[in-house]
Amino acid sequence: MAYIATYAHQAGFDVGVLDAEAHGLGLAQTTDLINTARPRWVGMNLLAPPYELSARIAAGLVDGIALVVGGRQPLWPP
């Protein structure tokens, strides 16, 4: 995600990166921060262990925020 954020920033987009785990944020805090910022897009790196947590954050996003996913398991479970 950092590579994509860097590229987007260099292309002139306003970019923010939030590592909720590193900051010890819970699901509600993370979702509230994202919804308050009202970004056009939110990108998530999906890995198997926190997959359900990412899905719960995505489900809590307000209308109008597009979700972009990547990582090793963006389509898991099938």
Side-chain angles (χ1 to χ4, degrees):
M1 295 310 303
Y3 290 122
I4 294 170
T6 299
Y7 180 82
H9 178 71
Q10 289 175 344
F13 291 92
D14 290 329
V15 176
V17 176
L18 173 63
D19 187 337
E21 184 178 2
H23 291 287
L25 301 176
L27 293 174
Q29 291 172 304
T30 302
T31 305
D32 288 346
L33 281 171
I34 295 168
N35 288 332
T36 299
R38 303 281 298 178
R40 202 178 318 175
W41 300 293
V42 168
M44 292 186 190
N45 186 16
L46 298 183
L47 302 171
Y51 189 91
E52 181 184 344
L53 299 175
S54 297
R56 290 171 61 189
I57 292 168
L61 298 178
V62 297
D63 290 338
I65 298 177
L67 181 64
V68 178
V69 295
R72 292 192 225 179
Q73 285 90 18
L75 300 177
W76 182 87

